Amino acid sequence: MPLIGYARVSTEDQTPLPQSHALKSAGCVEIHEEQASGGDRARPVLARVLERIGKGDTLVVVRIDRLARSLSHLLEVIERLEAKGAFFRSIQDPIDTGSPQGKFTLQVLGAAAEFERALIRERTKAGLASARTKGRVGGNPGLRARDPAALRKVRLARQDGYMERLNETAQDWVPHVRRLRPDLAWEDVVRIINGPLPEARRWTQSRLLRAVKAYVRDGFLPAEVLARAGRRETDDRLPAIVAGIKGADPGITLQAICTRLQAMRERTPRGRTSWQPSSVKMLLERAERLGLLD
């Protein structure tokens, strides 16, 4: 099973060389280095690694904190790997999802995270109940009085919270939207985005449109992505979809594209559901002739 290493440092003053040496000693056939904050979930190098990793591969880090700074992010990454049939290993921590002991450790971590969430919920409920018995009414006095300044402050806070949640998932959808729109219809864009994602993280068309409009409003995406999609000949639709997948990840293999198309439940040119690399190659060649590939 190929071992794929990931090394991360937070600042330019730090060097990933010690991590890379440790990963190489552990048997990693390829090592990806990144300079980014551990709290930033939208890391481009990590996103590419998670996108390209395949069934049977193992993502290896020196320590857990090189991959994630929160338990929720760690479990999210591992869930994404498991959805692709891949594994996770930390050299200095007792986690190896390819072994029974590592899986048990992961289950304990998941149970601890759920227990922590349950405690927070119970404490919040108890605090609210205690306040009510003392005659205190919850909420913002300005909101109860419908004060315009208070309402505006809450509205801005909600927008900030929404944008923060979008930023955590930007690696999943922004590159696809930037490349595929407005050449492809929203329906096809959503299916391409959802192809590699686990069920819990998949998008609906309405949710994606709302997210894109928010990013366009704040200047993170060009307004052109919201333009009406041009009419495309039926025979050109599959080459456009395959070109979109290839364009978002130039290093993706023909077999990986087959897997993506099957996850999208896209039928082959002959109406079958089982894709072969030869069919994908043919569509890529057609896409190149149509000028759909850079």
Side-chain angles (χ1 to χ4, degrees):
M1 296 186 296
L3 303 181
I4 300 173
Y6 174 74
R8 181 190 62 80
V9 293
S10 299
T11 66
E12 295 180 356
D13 295 335
Q14 298 172 316
T15 174
L17 285 179
Q19 295 178 56
S20 296
H21 290 158
L23 292 169
K24 186 175 182 180
S25 299
C28 292
V29 296
E30 58 180 276
I31 298 171
H32 301 268
E33 299 178 350
E34 184 162 34
Q35 188 262 306
S37 168
D40 182 7
R41 297 193 181 191
R43 292 175 240 156
V45 174
L46 178 60
R48 288 195 296 271
V49 172
L50 295 177
E51 176 72 20
R52 296 177 59 180
I53 201 166
K55 184 176 181 181
D57 294 344
T58 300
L59 178 64
V60 184
V61 297
V62 174
R63 298 190 311 275
I64 290 177
D65 66 349
R66 297 301 88 195
L67 178 67
R69 284 292 182 87
S70 67
L71 182 56
S72 62
H73 188 205
L74 173 65
L75 295 176
E76 178 185 315
V77 172
I78 293 177
E79 179 185 357
R80 186 168 178 181
L81 291 171
E82 288 183 336
K84 303 182 75 170
F87 305 98
F88 171 72
R89 180 187 304 171
S90 174
I91 297 175
Q92 296 183 11
D93 303 291
I95 294 185
D96 181 352
T97 60
S99 70
Q101 296 87 348
K103 289 183 177 179
F104 175 74
T105 301
L106 186 61
Q107 290 171 353
V108 171
L109 288 174
E114 180 57 34
F115 179 64
E116 182 181 14
R117 288 191 292 269
L119 284 179
I120 293 173
R121 287 195 297 268
E122 290 302 318
R123 288 169 181 167
T124 301
K125 291 179 181 178
L128 292 172
S130 175
R132 283 194 293 269
T133 60
K134 295 176 182 179
R136 293 201 297 269
V137 180
N140 188 313
L143 294 181
R144 293 200 301 271
R146 309 298 296 176
D147 178 67
L151 292 172
R152 181 175 179 275
K153 185 176 181 180
V154 170
R155 185 170 61 254
L156 292 175
R158 287 176 177 172
Q159 290 177 357
D160 288 344
Y162 176 63
M163 294 301 294
E164 184 175 344
R165 293 193 299 274
L166 285 185
N167 292 340
E168 293 176 354
T169 62
Q171 62 185 17
D172 294 337
W173 56 277
V174 170
H176 293 292
V177 170
R178 191 184 298 276
R179 177 166 184 84
L180 301 178
R181 288 290 305 164
D183 293 330
L184 281 185
W186 284 110
E187 178 184 356
D188 290 326
V189 174
V190 170
R191 294 170 66 233
I192 291 173
I193 290 172
N194 286 339
L197 297 180
E199 187 71 30
R201 291 176 54 196
R202 292 183 178 174
W203 293 79
T204 63
Q205 185 170 320
S206 58
R207 281 185 58 229
L208 181 63
L209 271 171
R210 183 190 175 199
V212 171
K213 288 177 181 178
Y215 261 44
V216 170
R217 182 194 64 220
D218 287 359
F220 297 132
L221 282 171
E224 289 76 17
V225 299
L226 292 173
R228 183 183 296 274
R231 298 189 62 179
R232 186 176 294 279
E233 296 294 332
T234 303
D235 291 344
D236 293 348
R237 179 177 170 276
L238 280 176
I241 290 175
V242 172
I245 296 173
K246 177 72 173 178
D249 184 3
I252 193 170
T253 64
L254 295 176
Q255 185 59 55
I257 296 178
C258 290
T259 302
R260 291 279 295 275
L261 290 169
Q262 287 173 192
M264 294 165 59
R265 298 184 179 179
E266 191 68 55
R267 291 187 174 275
T268 68
R270 296 184 179 181
R272 300 174 181 174
T273 56
S274 179
W275 282 85
Q276 299 297 323
S278 58
S279 298
V280 172
K281 184 179 179 181
M282 175 190 70
L283 290 172
L284 284 173
E285 291 172 350
R286 178 169 175 77
E288 189 169 8
R289 290 197 299 270
L290 292 171
L292 300 176
L293 289 174
D294 293 338

